[in-house]
Amino acid sequence: MPELVFFSGTMDCGKSTLALQIEHNRSARGLQGMIYTRNDRAGAGKLSSRLGLVTDSVEAGEGFDFYAHIVAHLSAGGRADYVIADEAQFLAPEQIDQLARIVDDLELDVFAFGITTDFRTKLFPGSQRLVELADRIEVLQVEALCWCGARATHNARTVGGQMVVEGAQVVVGDVNQPETVVGYEVLCRRHHRRRLTSAAARAAALSPDVLPVDPVGDAGDPAERSAGGSVDGRVSDPSAAG
């Protein structure tokens, strides 16, 4: 049975690489696919991977109708055995509905690829609709890593190396960008909550990340201890003890 499959993961975890691999494997078996993307790093009409792989695609901008485009292609004598939609988080909910209709009415497999949440940890509307409609959701097993080595689960937007949490939901950028431009970095939840990017961590390397506890605690005032005073009403000078 044809399926709408949503392949999800953080930035830098190989989503576009997998999309290109699926296209390669199926075309090698004589199948022909329709490839769509939006706001790809390589420019309009391209599906690219950070590994350097790239292929032509149809740019699915605002107002683009996937279902009408496929029907027009088939009606003109074209062939389509499957559909690939990369950067699906940028699509409008109604465009996701069109992808679902392609599966149900035209009986074609649709493979959608995208990140689930934005830099504020809020769901993209397109990704939310995919979660609601997809027959299957696959979380990519290639784990992107936070600068600390833990599994990266969140996408952070950076300006000047510092994490920002305000701004438009869609600002096209990429990971590993110069610190002077808007970029993105994948972080674990802990460091996303603390807004601690790799650049911020380097800058704070001499400042230990201590737990938020009372520095005095039960041990009393260090100055008082060094002066031989009492702690909790007890005499700290051994010679004064009975």
Side-chain angles (χ1 to χ4, degrees):
M1 291 291 292
E3 288 184 311
L4 172 58
V5 186
F6 180 31
F7 293 93
S8 178
T10 62
M11 299 180 72
D12 207 22
C13 73
K15 297 181 300 299
S16 297
T17 300
L18 179 58
L20 289 163
Q21 185 67 54
I22 289 177
E23 192 279 330
H24 170 76
N25 291 348
R26 293 190 168 231
S27 63
R29 295 295 179 264
L31 300 176
Q32 295 182 18
M34 295 294 293
I35 303 174
Y36 302 92
T37 191
R38 183 172 178 181
N39 296 336
D40 188 90
R41 66 182 68 83
K46 297 293 181 183
L47 169 56
S48 66
S49 164
R50 292 186 181 87
L51 297 183
L53 305 173
V54 62
T55 191
D56 292 331
S57 68
V58 177
E59 185 73 10
E62 292 184 15
F64 182 85
D65 190 322
F66 286 91
Y67 186 83
H69 188 267
I70 289 283
V71 169
H73 174 76
L74 296 173
S75 299
R79 178 180 170 186
D81 298 307
Y82 60 94
V83 172
I84 288 175
D86 196 26
E87 306 293 356
Q89 72 273 7
F90 296 138
L91 301 179
E94 56 267 24
Q95 291 177 311
I96 303 302
D97 290 343
Q98 295 159 11
L99 294 177
R101 187 181 177 191
I102 290 171
V103 176
D104 297 338
D105 294 356
L106 304 180
E107 297 187 348
L108 299 178
D109 283 316
V110 174
F111 306 104
F113 301 81
I115 59 180
T116 307
T117 58
D118 64 14
F119 68 105
R120 301 165 300 181
T121 70
K122 304 298 184 182
L123 285 168
F124 282 99
S127 298
Q128 177 178 335
R129 192 61 176 146
L130 276 166
V131 170
E132 293 166 347
L133 292 183
D135 297 295
R136 185 158 47 94
I137 300 173
E138 299 284 350
V139 178
L140 269 66
Q141 297 304 307
V142 177
E143 295 183 351
L145 298 179
C146 178
W147 60 264
C148 69
R151 178 172 177 257
T153 54
H154 292 65
N155 306 291
R157 181 181 293 171
T158 60
V159 177
Q162 301 300 310
M163 178 175 159
V164 296
V165 294
E166 296 181 351
Q169 185 176 54
V170 178
V171 175
V172 178
D174 204 353
V175 296
N176 302 320
Q177 295 295 300
E179 293 185 0
T180 55
V181 302
V182 175
Y184 289 89
E185 182 176 349
V186 290
L187 300 173
C188 63
R189 184 183 63 232
R190 176 171 178 257
H191 288 125
H192 191 279
R193 288 179 59 248
R194 297 184 179 186
R195 304 185 188 181
L196 195 58
T197 64
S198 57
R202 287 194 299 270
L206 298 180
S207 299
D209 187 12
V210 297
L211 292 174
V213 297
D214 184 354
V216 177
D218 294 334
D221 188 339
E224 188 177 48
R225 291 198 304 271
S226 62
S230 64
V231 176
D232 294 336
R234 294 169 298 188
V235 177
S236 58
D237 185 352
S239 64

